[in-house]
Amino acid sequence: SQPPVTNLSVSVENLCTVIWTWNPPEGVSPNCSLWYFSHFGNKQDKKIAPETHRSKEVPLNERICLQVGSQCSTNESDNPSILVEKCISPPEGDPESAVTELQCVWHNLSYMKCTWLPGKNASPDTNYTLYYWHSSLGKILQCEDIYREGQHIGCSFALTEVKDSIFEQHSVQIMVKDNAGKIRPFFNIVPLTSHVKPDPPHIKKLFFQNGDLYVQWKNPQNFYSRCLSYQVEVNNSQTETRDIFSVEEAKCQNPEFEGDLEGTICFMVPGVLPDTVNTVRIRVKTNKLCYEDDKLWSNWSQAMSIGKKADPTFYIAMLLIIPVIVAGAIIVLLLYLKRLKIIMFPPIPDPGKIFKEMFGDQNDDTLHWKKYDIYEKQTKEETDSVVLIENLKRASQ
């Protein structure tokens, strides 16, 4: 076996670039062509190379270790020398004081916006500072535009220097800390192929042809058409429906479109009624052809409408006539129901009322004459009785 490497050391450049360096082992056989086998903890990211250094971009929020050994061939199965390990520890401080949920979005390849939440053990009056670095910068820069949005804290900085280079190979290193040193610094690495959010597109023209709706719009700046996917939203005023069409690739082949088609996309929406108002909006996102992330949609574009509005006179007349017709129908129905109720359920006569109508009211004069008639009748009966008795006596004599 070969002797181990010597003088293994570790250092940090920029914000998150960790560099390990070492010297060749001593007492190596002259017939040995030295190669160095290295890997990180748990045998991750193995590498065999002749260089006496290795670097890696990694957030410094956790302990990171590299193990290095020497061997005389590029075959991984050969037994290397004893592995030498060198680690770098995270920054000092309470881990609960570091910021959380640090997220950065590259807006329209023009500026990057980072937001975060304060740490659990951080003071509410902590003054945060964000530092950033990428390969197009000569030094680490500080973000000046710190702001608050509710519980979130954020900062935005310009990021246009790398858009014309091969940004697929670049990333932005981020560190958030406070100048007083009361919180633990937090690191993040943002690949420039992810978390990209385009600006909304601009609708240029709408027109109908053969029962179809044609839409023409211009892409946001800094993007190639092949790197974007689209959604077209059409709202119909008559049916009150909202249809969304996905567009992966579209070309302007209709002669009605404008002559300057550079950066312009066209799409045909089939089966749209031209005699109604149709409102169109568009949004875009990056696709997997050029970027790793395809989840961030842009905001919706400004709406544009096309079509004819219906004549409101008819609707106003109907609004006035329908209530009158309904009210008349209700009145007729009520009258008919009342008559039908009388036929089916006739009223029950009141006996007291009937007797009252038959005999009339008995006032004081009527009672007086009735008493007089009764008295005369009784006198007449008594007289007849006396006469009858006297006649009987005479007959017996």
Side-chain angles (χ1 to χ4, degrees), residues 377-389 391:
K377 186 177 181 182
Q378 290 178 351
T379 304
K380 185 178 180 181
E381 289 178 354
E382 290 178 356
T383 304
D384 293 340
S385 298
V386 172
V387 172
L388 180 60
I389 292 172
N391 292 331

Side-chain angles (χ1 to χ4, degrees), residues 5 27 39 56 65-66 77 85 96 114 116 130 145 155 157 160 171 174 192 243 245 268 279 293 305 319 338 367 369:
V5 300
H39 64 76
K56 184 178 180 64
C65 299
L66 180 72
S77 62
E85 183 181 66
E96 297 292 334
C114 299
W116 62 87
L130 184 144
D145 187 17
C155 191
F157 54 91
T160 58
S171 59
I174 305 291
L192 294 183
D243 299 321
F245 302 88
M268 181 194 72
T279 303
D293 188 7
S305 299
L319 289 175
K338 185 176 181 181
L367 293 175
W369 287 108

Side-chain angles (χ1 to χ4, degrees), residues 111-280:
Y111 69 96
M112 182 165 286
K113 178 180 179 181
C114 299
T115 59
W116 62 87
L117 287 174
K120 182 178 179 181
N121 295 338
S123 175
D125 58 350
T126 301
N127 293 321
Y128 295 93
T129 304
L130 184 144
Y131 297 92
Y132 63 96
W133 179 90
H134 55 81
S135 58
S136 298
L137 296 179
K139 60 179 181 179
I140 299 173
L141 297 182
Q142 177 180 341
C143 182
E144 304 291 344
D145 187 17
I146 297 285
Y147 60 90
R148 290 182 178 267
E149 291 181 350
Q151 295 182 350
H152 284 81
I153 304 171
C155 191
S156 300
F157 54 91
L159 185 60
T160 58
E161 293 86 351
V162 296
K163 71 178 182 180
D164 295 326
S165 62
I166 306 176
F167 62 84
E168 292 87 349
Q169 303 176 359
H170 296 277
S171 59
V172 180
Q173 300 178 7
I174 305 291
M175 180 182 68
V176 180
K177 57 176 291 187
D178 70 324
N179 293 329
K182 296 181 179 180
I183 69 170
R184 180 174 172 172
F186 188 84
F187 299 86
N188 193 16
I189 296 177
V190 184
L192 294 183
T193 56
S194 64
H195 299 86
V196 179
K197 183 177 181 179
D199 282 348
H202 173 67
I203 302 177
K204 298 182 65 176
K205 190 175 183 180
L206 302 175
F207 67 91
F208 286 105
Q209 189 177 64
N210 298 328
D212 299 323
L213 173 62
Y214 288 84
V215 186
Q216 181 187 22
W217 68 87
K218 191 172 183 60
N219 282 330
Q221 293 182 352
N222 306 327
F223 290 93
Y224 296 106
S225 299
R226 60 183 177 86
C227 297
L228 298 175
S229 299
Y230 313 88
Q231 278 189 348
V232 179
E233 179 193 75
V234 180
N235 289 278
N236 187 279
S237 61
Q238 180 176 349
T239 60
E240 296 183 355
T241 57
R242 185 174 72 99
D243 299 321
I244 295 181
F245 302 88
S246 297
V247 183
E248 294 297 332
E249 183 178 1
K251 297 181 180 179
C252 300
Q253 298 178 349
N254 194 297
E256 294 289 334
F257 288 121
E258 298 178 5
D260 185 13
L261 301 178
E262 183 179 357
T264 302
I265 297 297
C266 307
F267 181 67
M268 181 194 72
V269 183
V272 179
L273 300 175
D275 55 347
T276 59
V277 177
N278 296 277
T279 303
V280 180

